[in-house]
Amino acid sequence: MVDLRCLDAKCGARYPSTDTRAQCASCGELLDVCYEWPAMDAAQQKQVWAERRMSRDPKDLSGVWRFREIIPFLSPEASVVTLREGNTPLLESPRAASYAGLEALSFKHQGFNPTGSFKDNGMTTGVSQAVALGKKVVVCVSTGNTSASLAAFAAYGGLRAVIFVPAGQIAMGKLAQALEYGALTIQVQANFDVTWKLVFHLVEEAGAYLLNSVNPFRVEGQKTIVVEMMEQLGWDPPDWIVLPGGNLGNSSAFGKGLREMYQLGLIRRLPRLAVIQAEGAAPLYRLIQRATAEQKPAGEIIFEPTPNPQTLATAIKIGSPASWKKALRELQATSGVCEQVSEQEIADAKAVIGQAGIGCEPASAATLAGTKKLVSHNVIRPSERVVAVLTGNVLKDPAYTMAYHQGTLAYPGSDGQEKQIQPRFANQPISVPPDAEQLKRLLAHASE
Ligand code: F0G
């Protein structure tokens, strides 16, 4: 049994799982996919999931559908649109651990996904639901990765993708992907928040299907990121899971996934979530700070969007996150925290992740920057087990990376003045004439 329920328990509205709405008709809050779970033998279930790794069935090859018993919203006969998403590695990094002040640190690298970001985990479920509903046109508003992912899964599943992106504010790799995968790409001359407000109401009327992370079926797929992570850790949860926060869909998905795994007996305790926002786009962080200052529960504080969000980590340049209430619920459920980091901290952390041979896009590096800050504030202890989630591939935003290493990376400060990023870990290319002696000297120098 599966249905959609309003996140506000006081409202309590329920809808069939075939409903296409993203918001509760009576109170306007977001919806959750809820299940009457059949009895699950946790040990046996883990065994089934492990054995599927030997199978060649496309559903078993997917790092999302392999765990289908924890996302049972489609009938078993339904076909799924899968590009072999998920299956992303957990990478130990002593270099990043010592940078953060931890004894050990691993990265769950979602940039290994088919379109290079964690969005693929949710897009396979969202697009499969669109197909099950008989939808032909799928839509999103995006800071880049959602649109790249939607474009790919829609094309693969034979649907038409229409994407709205803030003009000039998404990374080049992401825009190039959307074009290559054939999406109708509409660049709106406004930021993400303004574009979202405009488009949100138009989609249903047009008979199209909205696949932003307010879509509860996308959240279901994104849950499997933490399921796969727990399996990789032998079902022994870490103390902390650190992730970047933008529209806050992923934080919501992680919390839901963890709570459900706990409820089903798959894990014995809940890790704490740490959501990291960029200083210039940190409305959830501010809300929690205000609650602490006023000594009130965060749920009683009026949410204030950031009117003109600014960060070079364009993926998380969002001032009015659609899923903030869900994310807050998950922070409360997991005794989680929210931290903010500066542009310089993000840039430094990104370069360190690169130097470790791992690499990621700017928004993902907020996790290492945030972890370092939380360790320095004694929130995370050096001996605690931490998994930081790298949400996007290093190739997503080459312009940022090049500008950093060339020392030209700059951003508009809150006073309107341009602020320069210090390239503390820069690696500049060397240009030389085709002269054997010079090349020999350089090689000898590198080998010293
Ligand atoms: N990291 C990356 C690389 C992202 O692309 C995003 C969000 C986030 C983190 C934050 O995740 O929104 O669930 O809190 N990107 C969205 C997009 C907004 O349109 O691609 P979130």
Side-chain angles (χ1 to χ4, degrees):
M1 235 293 280
V2 49
D3 61 8
L4 296 171
R5 296 189 195 164
C6 178
L7 84 84
D8 184 348
K10 280 196 269 23
C11 167
R14 294 184 183 198
Y15 305 89
S17 65
T18 48
D19 205 299
T20 55
R21 79 188 70 230
Q23 274 179 313
C24 177
S26 31
C27 74
E29 293 295 355
L30 298 183
L31 304 174
D32 289 311
V33 179
C34 292
Y35 306 101
E36 299 287 345
W37 296 103
M40 186 187 277
D41 177 330
Q44 204 181 345
Q45 188 60 66
K46 290 173 189 176
Q47 181 80 21
V48 169
W49 288 339
E51 280 166 9
R52 282 185 188 150
R53 276 192 265 151
M54 308 292 283
S55 155
R56 279 189 223 154
D57 180 329
K59 275 190 189 168
D60 295 340
L61 288 167
S62 160
V64 173
W65 298 105
R66 184 159 70 84
F67 300 106
R68 48 194 172 270
E69 287 79 3
I70 207 161
I71 50 169
F73 65 86
L74 283 181
S75 71
E77 313 77 57
S79 64
V80 300
V81 182
T82 172
L83 286 166
R84 215 177 157 166
E85 56 289 323
N87 297 308
T88 63
L90 204 55
L91 302 169
E92 276 286 322
S93 179
R95 168 82 181 93
S98 86
Y99 178 75
L102 289 171
E103 286 168 18
L105 173 62
S106 17
F107 290 114
K108 173 79 173 147
H109 206 325
Q110 291 300 112
F112 281 61
N113 260 300
T115 78
S117 87
F118 73 103
K119 304 289 182 182
D120 294 344
N121 283 65
M123 213 47 88
T124 184
T125 50
V127 169
S128 297
Q129 175 71 358
V131 170
L133 294 170
K135 292 288 176 183
K136 299 282 179 268
V137 181
V138 284
V139 179
C140 73
V141 180
S142 176
T143 56
N145 280 322
T146 298
S147 49
S149 184
L150 178 64
F153 281 86
Y156 199 65
L159 306 182
R160 180 82 170 125
V162 182
I163 65 160
F164 295 85
V165 296
Q169 299 182 44
I170 78 167
M172 199 209 317
K174 304 173 189 180
L175 183 58
Q177 283 180 294
L179 299 176
E180 187 79 356
Y181 295 133
L184 173 61
T185 302
I186 301 166
Q187 298 184 282
V188 181
Q189 284 139 17
N191 68 17
F192 173 90
D193 299 305
V194 172
T195 309
W196 169 249
K197 269 207 196 99
L198 282 170
V199 172
F200 181 65
H201 301 285
L202 305 178
V203 181
E204 193 156 15
E205 207 180 297
Y209 193 50
L210 182 68
L211 275 171
N212 273 81
S213 56
V214 294
N215 182 308
F217 298 97
R218 270 206 42 212
V219 170
E220 290 308 289
Q222 276 171 224
K223 265 172 25 184
T224 62
I225 299 171
V226 283
V227 180
E228 187 178 72
M229 183 195 296
M230 293 308 132
E231 186 189 54
Q232 286 166 316
L233 294 169
W235 302 99
D236 180 16
D239 297 301
W240 292 90
I241 298 175
V242 187
L243 76 164
N247 219 11
L248 297 171
N250 209 29
S251 313
S252 313
F254 278 26
K256 185 172 191 279
L258 291 167
R259 284 189 289 113
E260 289 174 347
M261 277 191 280
Y262 183 72
Q263 190 193 336
L264 292 168
L266 292 160
I267 53 173
R268 294 198 184 285
R269 62 185 178 81
L270 289 174
R272 298 176 72 182
L273 288 179
V275 176
I276 316 298
Q277 300 201 291
E279 249 173 38
L284 182 66
Y285 171 80
R286 300 251 153 79
L287 176 88
I288 294 171
Q289 288 300 106
R290 286 208 315 279
T292 311
E294 294 175 29
Q295 298 185 333
K296 282 189 185 157
E300 286 175 21
I301 304 284
I302 293 170
F303 181 77
E304 282 174 15
T306 303
N308 180 24
Q310 289 298 340
T311 172
L312 295 173
T314 49
I316 50 172
K317 189 175 165 188
I318 294 177
S320 186
S323 297
W324 72 267
K325 262 195 193 163
K326 279 191 178 180
L328 188 61
R329 175 182 67 184
E330 305 309 344
L331 286 185
Q332 285 163 346
T334 63
S335 308
V337 300
C338 185
E339 185 53 274
Q340 63 170 4
V341 289
S342 70
E343 294 298 304
Q344 183 68 51
E345 287 169 323
I346 293 173
D348 288 343
K350 178 176 174 304
V352 168
I353 295 166
Q355 282 184 346
I358 292 172
C360 66
E361 69 159 282
S364 310
T367 54
L368 178 59
T371 303
K372 182 176 168 64
K373 201 161 178 181
L374 290 168
V375 172
S376 76
H377 291 173
N378 299 316
V379 178
I380 299 181
R381 287 196 307 274
S383 60
E384 284 188 302
R385 290 169 63 225
V386 180
V387 177
V389 179
L390 300 179
T391 43
N393 192 283
V394 69
L395 293 172
K396 288 279 188 177
D397 195 348
Y400 180 111
T401 307
M402 288 307 295
Y404 175 83
H405 289 289
Q406 287 165 344
T408 57
L409 194 61
Y411 63 99
S414 48
D415 55 3
Q417 298 283 319
E418 191 160 271
K419 299 272 188 304
Q420 203 73 30
I421 297 283
Q422 297 308 312
R424 293 193 184 128
F425 302 93
N427 180 24
Q428 301 238 14
I430 302 166
S431 288
V432 291
D435 173 72
E437 272 312 306
Q438 275 200 48
L439 299 182
K440 199 171 143 189
R441 267 204 306 280
L442 284 167
L443 201 51
H445 186 64
S447 318
E448 270 167 16

